[in-house]
Amino acid sequence: MNQGLLNSLSDAERLLVAEAERDALQRLDEDELLDLHQRVRRARTKYVKNYRRGASAAVASTGGRGLSYARNQRDRDKAELFESVLAKVSREVATVARRASMELRSERIAAARSVKTAGSTAGGAVARVEAQGARGSGGEGGGRARATKTTGGLKKDASSRAAGARRQAKRDAR
């Protein structure tokens, strides 16, 4: 990294960059990594926004985009620095998430196997149903569980059903 750029960082920004070093990232758990990821993304967005605003404002005074390019070097460099830090943190988040996913998967498989072996000795049908539940099967559809609706969707659906019921009751009353 450019030493001049590091010297131009504020203390908080310097600490944020230091938190993204390899050794520091190794000590963080998944939630802490996600928090760091969010903070780095905010810093990157700030400097990208500052750079774009400054560049667009300088175009009118300098007479073109090419001439105004050199004026906004510091914000552009900071945005690039935080972009590379964000990439590091994102890779680490992906690694930790993949590791957690594999652990959960192995636990789920072990639980299903233990239920399955217990079911073969006593009451096979009950054990198969429990094993299917432990596997996380979404029903007859196979793969995915059904998405839950938000409150707004539930209210709208209930309102539509009620309106339909009122129309039907009106017809039945004739």
Side-chain angles (χ1 to χ4, degrees):
M1 273 183 241
N2 183 357
Q3 190 60 37
L5 176 61
L6 288 176
N7 289 338
S8 72
L9 295 176
S10 69
D11 291 336
E13 293 166 346
R14 208 173 290 125
L15 285 173
L16 192 59
V17 171
E19 281 185 70
E21 292 300 321
R22 181 178 299 252
D23 296 334
L25 288 177
Q26 299 288 328
R27 291 188 292 263
L28 299 178
D29 67 350
E30 191 172 6
D31 292 332
E32 293 168 333
L33 278 170
L34 289 172
D35 179 51
L36 177 64
H37 187 270
Q38 185 177 14
R39 289 185 290 139
V40 171
R41 191 175 63 231
R42 270 195 222 124
R44 189 247 355 229
T45 303
K46 171 186 171 181
Y47 285 106
V48 167
K49 188 179 354 174
N50 286 348
Y51 165 67
R52 287 182 178 158
R53 283 184 180 170
S56 67
V59 168
S61 63
T62 58
R65 288 187 307 171
L67 295 173
S68 71
Y69 182 79
R71 283 188 148 178
N72 226 353
Q73 185 69 37
R74 188 170 143 205
D75 283 335
R76 187 171 48 251
D77 288 344
K78 282 187 174 185
E80 186 177 332
L81 170 70
F82 284 114
E83 184 69 39
S84 65
V85 170
L86 184 64
K88 276 189 216 176
V89 175
S90 294
R91 279 192 298 271
E92 190 65 27
V93 166
T95 302
V96 170
R98 192 176 311 112
R99 191 178 312 129
S101 171
M102 295 303 280
E103 287 173 6
L104 287 173
R105 181 175 183 226
S106 62
E107 288 174 10
R108 202 174 66 235
I109 289 172
R113 284 184 180 152
S114 67
V115 168
K116 189 175 183 180
T117 56
S120 63
T121 58
V126 173
R128 278 193 300 274
V129 169
E130 288 175 354
Q132 190 174 11
R135 252 186 265 131
S137 174
E140 292 183 23
R144 292 174 39 171
R146 190 170 174 184
T148 58
K149 290 192 173 188
T150 61
T151 306
L154 292 174
K155 287 181 178 179
K156 186 176 180 182
D157 290 347
S159 175
S160 295
R161 280 193 301 273
R166 283 192 299 272
R167 276 193 304 271
Q168 188 62 45
K170 192 174 180 181
R171 283 187 189 149
D172 292 345
R174 290 184 198 162

